[in-house]
Each structure stands twice: as C-alpha cells, then as structure tokens.
Amino acid sequence: MTLALFIIAGLSDALDGFLAKRYDWTSQLGSFLDPLADKLLLVSCFLVCVLTGLMPAWLFIVILLRDVIVSFGALAYHLMIETFQGTPPFSSKLNTTFQIVYLVLLIASQGIVPIPHSWIEFALYSVAATTVISGLEYVWSWGFKAWEAKVRE
C-alpha cells in the first residue's frame, strides 16, 4: 500500500508538471510551491525510512543539509542580489531521480519484491554522491552569479 501511494504521488506530480508546461498553467506562487511540495514528500519519506531503520541516518542528514543550504542560499540571493529564478541543474534532477529510485527500492524490498541488497546499496551511494555534487554545483554556480552581480554594481 505504501509503495502504491508513493507511486501515485509521483505520477500525479509528473502529470501536474506536464500540464503546467503543456498549457502554460504556471504562476510565481506555483513555481515556489511545487518544488517545495516535492521536497516535503521526499524528506518526509526519508525521515520515515530513518525512523523505521530502513536507511542510515547519515544519508538523511546529508540530504537535509544540502536542501537547507540550497534553500537558504536561494533566499539570500533573492534578498541580497535579485529575484531568484533558477532552474535546477542536471545534477539536481539526477539526484531527485536517484532519491526516488532509492525510496522505491527500499519500500518494495519490504516484502513486496525481493530486491538484491547490492541494488539498494548502489542506490544509497548514488543518492549520497549526487546529493553532494548537486549541492556543490548550486553553491558554485549561484555563488559565482552573486559575485558577478556584486562586481557589476
């Protein structure tokens, strides 16, 4: 049941994104709330996985730290430089994909489908690596943009 709910949430989010782009049903509020809702879904799923012992706490901390750093960086950029209108870099999209795959593998392995431990471990370290890489990419690229904006002043 948990896996079905997670898949339905993911599919409804994908449909929402498709419709918004296809019919230009976008708004400034939606551009803020949609990624926030995505993050809340993933972070809450990871928290439950940590609390139930399905995943290591260190991975949750890495994910949470990256999200906090990126969020506060975007807020600081918005308040101190100019309106933040960033699109996520490829590394961030790859990270989100690995996070979803990891969660699906974790949930499915709980008696639904026999998932080899090596697959789950590969997904775990893929999430860890892409989390760090995408966090560094955000800090680097937006830090450079902030520096350029300050130089132009």
Side-chain angles (χ1 to χ4, degrees), residues 49-91:
C49 287
V50 167
L51 294 175
T52 58
L54 291 179
M55 69 176 265
W58 67 262
L59 181 60
F60 178 72
I61 292 167
V62 168
I63 292 167
L64 198 59
L65 277 174
R66 178 241 182 228
D67 289 347
V68 167
I69 289 168
V70 169
S71 297
F72 279 113
L75 180 62
Y77 185 91
H78 180 79
L79 294 175
M80 296 168 47
I81 308 295
E82 62 188 359
T83 301
F84 180 81
Q85 296 177 336
T87 56
F90 175 75
S91 64

Coordinates of all heavy atoms in Angstrom, one line a residue, residues 49-91:
C49 N 11.8 6.5 6.7 CA 12.8 5.4 6.4 C 13.9 5.3 7.5 O 14.3 4.3 7.9 CB 13.4 5.5 5.0 SG 12.2 5.0 3.7
V50 N 14.3 6.5 8.0 CA 15.3 6.5 9.0 C 14.7 6.0 10.3 O 15.3 5.2 11.0 CB 15.9 7.9 9.2 CG1 16.7 8.1 10.5 CG2 16.8 8.3 8.0
L51 N 13.5 6.5 10.7 CA 12.9 6.2 11.9 C 12.5 4.7 12.0 O 12.5 4.1 13.1 CB 11.6 7.0 12.2 CG 11.9 8.5 12.4 CD1 10.6 9.3 12.5 CD2 12.8 8.8 13.6
T52 N 12.3 4.1 10.9 CA 11.9 2.7 10.8 C 13.2 1.8 10.6 O 13.0 0.6 10.5 CB 10.9 2.3 9.8 OG1 11.4 2.8 8.5 CG2 9.6 3.0 10.1
G53 N 14.3 2.4 10.5 CA 15.6 1.6 10.3 C 15.8 1.1 8.9 O 16.7 0.3 8.7
L54 N 15.1 1.7 7.9 CA 15.4 1.2 6.6 C 16.6 1.9 5.9 O 17.1 1.3 4.9 CB 14.1 1.5 5.7 CG 12.9 0.7 6.0 CD1 11.7 1.1 5.1 CD2 13.2 -0.8 5.8
M55 N 17.0 3.0 6.4 CA 18.1 3.7 5.8 C 18.9 4.4 6.9 O 18.4 4.6 8.0 CB 17.7 4.8 4.7 CG 17.0 6.0 5.3 SD 16.6 7.2 4.0 CE 18.0 8.3 4.1
P56 N 20.2 4.6 6.6 CA 21.1 5.2 7.6 C 20.8 6.7 7.8 O 20.5 7.4 6.9 CB 22.5 5.0 7.0 CG 22.3 4.8 5.6 CD 20.9 4.2 5.4
A57 N 20.9 7.1 9.1 CA 20.6 8.5 9.5 C 21.6 9.4 8.8 O 21.2 10.5 8.4 CB 20.7 8.6 11.0
W58 N 22.8 9.0 8.5 CA 23.8 9.9 7.9 C 23.4 10.3 6.5 O 23.6 11.5 6.2 CB 25.2 9.3 7.9 CG 25.4 8.1 7.0 CD1 25.3 6.8 7.3 CD2 25.6 8.1 5.5 NE1 25.5 6.0 6.2 CE2 25.7 6.7 5.1 CE3 25.7 9.1 4.6 CZ2 25.9 6.4 3.8 CZ3 25.9 8.7 3.3 CH2 26.0 7.4 2.9
L59 N 22.7 9.5 5.8 CA 22.2 9.9 4.5 C 21.1 10.9 4.6 O 21.1 11.9 3.8 CB 21.7 8.7 3.7 CG 21.2 9.0 2.3 CD1 22.3 9.6 1.4 CD2 20.7 7.7 1.6
F60 N 20.2 10.7 5.5 CA 19.2 11.7 5.8 C 19.8 13.1 6.1 O 19.3 14.1 5.6 CB 18.2 11.2 6.9 CG 17.1 12.2 7.2 CD1 16.1 12.4 6.3 CD2 17.2 12.9 8.4 CE1 15.1 13.3 6.6 CE2 16.2 13.8 8.7 CZ 15.1 14.0 7.8
I61 N 20.8 13.1 7.0 CA 21.5 14.3 7.4 C 22.1 15.0 6.1 O 22.0 16.2 6.0 CB 22.5 14.0 8.5 CG1 21.8 13.6 9.8 CG2 23.4 15.3 8.7 CD1 22.6 13.1 10.8
V62 N 22.8 14.2 5.3 CA 23.4 14.8 4.1 C 22.3 15.4 3.2 O 22.5 16.5 2.7 CB 24.2 13.7 3.3 CG1 24.6 14.2 1.9 CG2 25.4 13.3 4.1
I63 N 21.2 14.7 3.0 CA 20.1 15.2 2.1 C 19.5 16.5 2.7 O 19.3 17.5 2.0 CB 19.0 14.1 2.0 CG1 19.6 13.0 1.1 CG2 17.8 14.7 1.3 CD1 18.7 11.7 1.1
L64 N 19.3 16.5 4.0 CA 18.7 17.6 4.7 C 19.6 18.8 4.7 O 19.2 19.9 4.4 CB 18.3 17.2 6.1 CG 17.3 18.1 6.9 CD1 16.0 18.2 6.1 CD2 17.1 17.6 8.3
L65 N 20.9 18.6 5.0 CA 21.9 19.7 4.9 C 21.9 20.3 3.5 O 22.0 21.6 3.4 CB 23.3 19.2 5.3 CG 23.5 19.1 6.8 CD1 24.9 18.5 7.1 CD2 23.5 20.5 7.5
R66 N 22.0 19.5 2.5 CA 22.0 20.0 1.1 C 20.8 20.9 0.9 O 20.9 22.0 0.3 CB 22.1 18.9 0.2 CG 22.1 19.4 -1.3 CD 20.9 18.7 -2.0 NE 20.9 19.1 -3.4 CZ 19.8 19.5 -4.0 NH1 18.7 19.7 -3.3 NH2 19.8 19.8 -5.2
D67 N 19.6 20.4 1.2 CA 18.4 21.1 1.0 C 18.3 22.4 1.8 O 17.9 23.5 1.2 CB 17.2 20.3 1.3 CG 16.9 19.1 0.3 OD1 17.6 19.2 -0.8 OD2 16.1 18.2 0.6
V68 N 18.8 22.4 3.0 CA 18.8 23.6 3.8 C 19.8 24.7 3.2 O 19.5 25.8 3.1 CB 19.2 23.3 5.3 CG1 19.5 24.6 6.1 CG2 18.0 22.6 5.9
I69 N 21.0 24.2 2.8 CA 22.0 25.1 2.2 C 21.5 25.7 1.0 O 21.6 26.9 0.7 CB 23.3 24.4 2.0 CG1 24.0 24.1 3.4 CG2 24.3 25.2 1.1 CD1 25.2 23.1 3.3
V70 N 20.9 24.9 0.1 CA 20.4 25.4 -1.2 C 19.2 26.4 -0.9 O 19.1 27.5 -1.6 CB 19.9 24.2 -2.1 CG1 19.1 24.8 -3.3 CG2 21.1 23.5 -2.6
S71 N 18.3 26.0 0.0 CA 17.2 26.9 0.3 C 17.6 28.3 0.8 O 17.1 29.3 0.4 CB 16.2 26.2 1.2 OG 15.7 25.1 0.7
F72 N 18.5 28.2 1.8 CA 18.9 29.5 2.4 C 19.8 30.3 1.4 O 19.8 31.5 1.4 CB 19.7 29.3 3.7 CG 18.8 29.1 4.9 CD1 18.7 27.9 5.5 CD2 17.9 30.1 5.3 CE1 17.8 27.7 6.6 CE2 17.1 30.0 6.4 CZ 17.0 28.7 7.0
G73 N 20.6 29.6 0.6 CA 21.3 30.3 -0.4 C 20.4 31.0 -1.4 O 20.7 32.1 -1.8
A74 N 19.3 30.3 -1.9 CA 18.4 30.9 -2.8 C 17.7 32.1 -2.1 O 17.5 33.2 -2.8 CB 17.4 29.9 -3.2
L75 N 17.3 32.0 -0.9 CA 16.7 33.1 -0.1 C 17.7 34.3 0.0 O 17.3 35.4 -0.3 CB 16.2 32.6 1.2 CG 15.5 33.6 2.1 CD1 14.2 34.1 1.4 CD2 15.2 33.1 3.5
A76 N 18.9 34.0 0.4 CA 19.9 35.1 0.5 C 20.1 35.8 -0.9 O 20.2 37.0 -0.9 CB 21.2 34.5 1.0
Y77 N 20.2 35.0 -1.9 CA 20.4 35.5 -3.2 C 19.2 36.4 -3.6 O 19.4 37.5 -4.1 CB 20.6 34.4 -4.3 CG 20.9 34.9 -5.7 CD1 22.2 35.1 -6.1 CD2 19.9 35.3 -6.6 CE1 22.5 35.6 -7.3 CE2 20.2 35.7 -7.8 CZ 21.5 35.9 -8.2 OH 21.8 36.3 -9.5
H78 N 18.0 35.9 -3.3 CA 16.8 36.7 -3.6 C 16.8 38.0 -2.8 O 16.4 39.0 -3.4 CB 15.6 35.8 -3.3 CG 14.3 36.5 -3.6 ND1 13.8 36.6 -4.8 CD2 13.4 37.1 -2.7 CE1 12.6 37.2 -4.8 NE2 12.4 37.5 -3.5
L79 N 17.1 37.9 -1.6 CA 17.0 39.1 -0.7 C 18.2 40.1 -0.9 O 18.0 41.3 -0.8 CB 17.0 38.7 0.8 CG 15.7 38.0 1.2 CD1 15.9 37.5 2.6 CD2 14.5 38.8 1.0
M80 N 19.4 39.6 -1.3 CA 20.5 40.5 -1.3 C 21.0 40.9 -2.7 O 21.6 41.9 -2.9 CB 21.7 39.8 -0.6 CG 21.5 39.6 0.9 SD 22.6 38.5 1.7 CE 24.2 39.0 1.2
I81 N 20.6 40.1 -3.7 CA 21.1 40.3 -5.1 C 19.9 40.7 -6.0 O 19.9 41.8 -6.4 CB 21.8 39.1 -5.7 CG1 22.9 38.6 -4.7 CG2 22.4 39.4 -7.0 CD1 24.1 39.5 -4.5
E82 N 19.1 39.7 -6.3 CA 18.0 40.0 -7.2 C 17.0 38.8 -7.1 O 17.3 37.8 -6.5 CB 18.5 40.1 -8.7 CG 19.2 38.9 -9.2 CD 19.8 39.1 -10.6 OE1 19.7 40.2 -11.1 OE2 20.4 38.1 -11.1
T83 N 15.9 38.9 -7.8 CA 14.9 37.8 -7.8 C 15.6 36.5 -8.2 O 16.2 36.5 -9.3 CB 13.7 38.2 -8.7 OG1 13.2 39.4 -8.2 CG2 12.7 37.1 -8.6
F84 N 15.4 35.5 -7.4 CA 16.0 34.2 -7.7 C 15.0 33.5 -8.7 O 13.9 33.2 -8.4 CB 16.1 33.4 -6.4 CG 16.7 32.0 -6.7 CD1 18.0 31.8 -6.8 CD2 15.9 30.9 -6.7 CE1 18.6 30.6 -7.0 CE2 16.4 29.6 -6.9 CZ 17.8 29.5 -7.1
Q85 N 15.5 33.2 -9.9 CA 14.7 32.5 -10.9 C 15.6 31.4 -11.5 O 16.0 31.4 -12.6 CB 14.3 33.4 -12.0 CG 13.3 34.5 -11.5 CD 12.9 35.4 -12.6 OE1 13.6 35.6 -13.6 NE2 11.8 36.1 -12.4
G86 N 16.0 30.4 -10.6 CA 16.9 29.4 -11.0 C 16.1 28.2 -11.5 O 15.1 27.8 -11.0
T87 N 16.7 27.5 -12.5 CA 16.2 26.2 -12.9 C 17.2 25.2 -12.4 O 18.4 25.5 -12.3 CB 16.1 26.1 -14.4 OG1 17.4 26.4 -15.0 CG2 15.1 27.0 -15.0
P88 N 16.7 24.1 -11.9 CA 17.6 23.1 -11.3 C 18.6 22.6 -12.3 O 18.3 22.3 -13.5 CB 16.7 22.0 -10.8 CG 15.4 22.2 -11.5 CD 15.3 23.6 -11.9
P89 N 19.9 22.5 -11.9 CA 20.9 21.9 -12.8 C 20.7 20.4 -13.0 O 19.9 19.8 -12.3 CB 22.2 22.2 -12.1 CG 21.9 22.3 -10.7 CD 20.5 22.9 -10.6
F90 N 21.3 19.9 -14.0 CA 21.2 18.4 -14.3 C 21.5 17.6 -13.1 O 20.8 16.6 -12.8 CB 22.0 18.0 -15.5 CG 22.0 16.6 -15.8 CD1 20.9 16.0 -16.4 CD2 23.0 15.7 -15.4 CE1 20.8 14.6 -16.6 CE2 23.0 14.4 -15.7 CZ 21.9 13.8 -16.3
S91 N 22.5 17.9 -12.4 CA 22.9 17.1 -11.2 C 21.8 17.1 -10.2 O 21.6 16.1 -9.5 CB 24.2 17.7 -10.6 OG 24.0 19.0 -10.0

